[in-house]
Amino acid sequence: MSLDLTAAPPSAPATADDGVWLACIECGETFAPFSAIRYTCDHCDGLLEVRYADPPTFEDFEGRGVWRYAAALPFEEGVSLPEGDTPLHHVPRLEADVGVDRLRIKHEGMNPTGSFKDRGMTVGVRVAKELGVGRLACASTGNTSAALAAYGARGGMGTLVLLPAGKVAAGKIAQAALHDARILEVDGNFDDCLDIVQDLAARGEVYLLNSLNPFRLEGQKTIGLEILEEFRQDHGTYPDRIVLPVGNAGNTSALYKCFRELVQSGALDPEDVPKLTGVQAEGAAPMVEAIEEGNDEIRRWPDVETIATAIRIGNPVNAPKALPGIRETGGTAVAVPDEEITDAQRALAAEGVGVEPASATSIAGLRRLRDRGVVDDDEQVVCLTTGHLLKDPDAAFAAGNDPEPVPNDTEAVLAHIAE
Ligand SMILES: Cc1ncc(COP(=O)(O)O)c(C=O)c1O
Ligand SMILES: N[C@@H](CCOP(=O)(O)O)C(=O)O
């Protein structure tokens, strides 16, 4: 099954429901979208994609937020908080410092629960309602669990989240707790948690809402749609490159799908598709390894470690969708050390943009690629920042200034700040 950028638009199979169906990206088998619960292909276990008889054009979009893009989604509306419409920040000092023609920051930390996951959950929980499932579940490094708990609560559904014990930032656990998720702390890493939750889903115990679920990625496509529309409106052109953190590789896959569908409908020239450029932490970089070595498959990293706990992932399940996305768009992937992630977090904060460590990898990666001459100085670049600063208060304290104790006295305060 081809994930080529310029593959011909698919024609609707008999399994299509109102012009929507699921297709296996490996063997091409198709399935009715809502007749049964499935996450992978019944025949070859390949990843599934949602397909549409009528891929969208920009003229089809109206309204605000994720649901402005209903013409690119399987429903007209979802379980919403609402989400999307995130800012595209200008960061002039950082732009000059990195040395590119134009740099914009798409700050997905400004979604309702503070990360891009909300875009996927508004669609995913809507689908869960359509399927009539009971309990929703996910494995998580934190943000997916926060979003699932909030959207599950909004939809009136119970949620179960499996987290790697001791490796999830405080803000994210607090969100899952308050939104009434049942929280299981597993003595293992994120990939182990995902193995277990997949087993639970296969046994019919839960409905899985990680990005293995193809409907989650439909919502996350809207990041790409917003970037293209807003960048073109502001600058009359599309960005040359989108740089993003990579964990389970859902966003890379979703952005590539967004571009492919626009190319299929004729709304976007293949020449105008931004180069997808993935960034991982050096301690958790299986996608970078595959890109650098030219492999079509990922080698699972059993031991992963990084300050960017959100992307502490050794087995990105969406790699079969994301690797073609990086290659077909002419992009690349790069790994960055933790110190450079923290430096980038500070640099964004110095422009007023507060992000969690994983988000800052996009800037750290862009810097590295500029230093290596892979990114040119005349490029127009959008960096995706995926989660809010408050998600990980410990990392923010470690990277930022220490509070200074002072006496309860104006003269003493004046003397202190004069030092
Ligand atoms: C803040 C943050 N950034 C980046 C990622 C990586 O995104 P993806 O899994 O879509 O590659 C995640 C989770 O995976 C995340 O929580
Ligand atoms: N960073 C993620 C990891 C899981 O990713 P998903 O997109 O597959 O749900 C998280 O926040 O848990």
Side-chain angles (χ1 to χ4, degrees):
M1 189 82 202
S2 171
L3 289 188
D4 291 352
L5 181 58
T6 51
S11 39
T15 43
D17 177 354
D18 210 11
V20 181
W21 67 98
L22 288 170
C24 171
I25 69 161
E26 303 293 345
C27 72
E29 187 66 53
T30 65
F31 304 94
F34 310 117
S35 60
I37 296 171
R38 57 170 62 82
Y39 311 100
T40 55
C41 178
D42 296 8
H43 302 282
C44 73
D45 207 31
L47 296 179
L48 298 177
E49 244 189 14
V50 183
R51 296 268 163 90
Y52 302 90
D54 290 313
T57 67
F58 289 109
E59 287 70 38
D60 295 329
F61 304 142
E62 57 181 3
R64 297 186 65 87
V66 163
W67 294 98
R68 165 177 175 74
Y69 303 105
L73 300 173
F75 293 102
E76 288 296 311
E77 55 187 27
V79 175
S80 181
L81 282 171
E83 48 292 309
D85 257 335
T86 54
L88 193 61
H89 292 298
H90 185 198
V91 283
R93 290 182 295 276
L94 196 48
E95 179 181 81
D97 188 42
V98 172
V100 287
D101 183 43
R102 185 168 279 138
L103 176 61
R104 294 292 180 273
I105 306 296
K106 181 66 170 167
H107 193 11
E108 285 296 297
M110 302 308 286
N111 275 298
T113 78
S115 86
F116 67 89
K117 307 285 182 178
D118 300 346
R119 293 181 186 264
M121 289 303 173
T122 184
V123 178
V125 175
R126 170 70 181 85
V127 172
K129 284 192 160 289
E130 185 76 14
L131 291 167
V133 299
R135 184 164 44 184
L136 312 178
C138 69
S140 185
T141 57
N143 283 324
T144 297
S145 63
L148 180 72
Y151 281 79
R154 187 74 173 176
M157 304 171 89
T159 54
L160 176 71
V161 305
L162 279 76
L163 311 181
K167 295 293 182 183
V168 177
K172 304 174 188 182
I173 305 185
Q175 289 178 288
L178 189 60
H179 288 301
D180 202 25
R182 187 152 181 203
I183 303 171
L184 307 184
E185 293 194 319
V186 177
D187 180 18
N189 62 27
F190 166 79
D191 304 297
D192 301 322
C193 295
L194 189 54
D195 288 344
I196 295 173
V197 99
Q198 278 185 258
D199 285 345
L200 297 180
R203 294 178 197 199
E205 293 288 332
V206 300
Y207 183 64
L208 178 125
L209 271 170
N210 281 102
S211 57
L212 189 66
N213 185 318
F215 295 106
R216 268 269 314 271
L217 298 186
E218 291 308 286
Q220 290 171 218
K221 279 188 326 196
T222 63
I223 302 173
L225 293 166
E226 273 183 26
I227 290 175
L228 294 183
E229 281 198 316
E230 196 172 346
F231 203 93
R232 188 189 52 191
Q233 186 183 312
D234 292 350
H235 310 297
T237 178
Y238 296 114
D240 298 308
R241 187 181 295 274
I242 296 178
V243 185
L244 72 164
V246 176
N248 229 1
N251 273 339
T252 316
S253 309
L255 286 171
Y256 183 46
K257 186 168 192 283
C258 157
F259 303 150
R260 270 190 294 138
E261 287 175 355
L262 291 172
V263 168
Q264 280 167 2
S265 73
L268 186 66
D269 192 314
E271 299 286 310
D272 288 332
V273 169
K275 297 178 172 70
L276 284 173
T277 301
V279 189
Q280 295 191 298
E282 278 183 350
M287 282 280 291
V288 176
E289 180 179 75
I291 290 288
E292 286 178 348
E293 295 182 1
N295 300 334
D296 287 334
E297 285 180 10
I298 291 289
R299 180 178 69 85
R300 180 173 177 148
W301 286 25
D303 301 308
V304 278
E305 198 50 86
T306 169
I307 186 180
T309 52
I311 52 170
R312 192 173 166 274
I313 295 175
N315 185 36
V317 289
N318 292 295
K321 294 177 175 176
L323 288 171
I326 291 173
R327 291 186 171 125
E328 287 276 309
T329 61
T332 187
V334 65
V336 290
D338 281 0
E339 312 83 73
E340 290 178 24
I341 295 173
T342 302
D343 286 349
Q345 197 187 10
R346 290 196 190 101
L348 281 162
E351 297 264 14
V353 182
V355 306
E356 67 166 291
S359 302
T361 58
S362 55
I363 287 294
L366 176 62
R367 274 193 203 281
R368 279 227 154 181
L369 293 171
R370 271 294 293 134
D371 290 348
R372 289 182 190 168
V374 175
V375 173
D376 292 328
D377 60 2
D378 62 355
E379 286 196 29
Q380 311 207 28
V381 181
V382 173
C383 280
L384 202 62
T385 56
T386 41
H388 197 276
L389 174 156
L390 291 173
K391 289 283 193 170
D392 192 342
D394 294 337
F397 278 125
N401 296 339
D402 290 330
E404 301 166 45
V406 289
N408 179 9
D409 175 78
T410 305
E411 295 308 320
V413 168
L414 277 172
H416 184 88
I417 60 177
E419 279 170 16

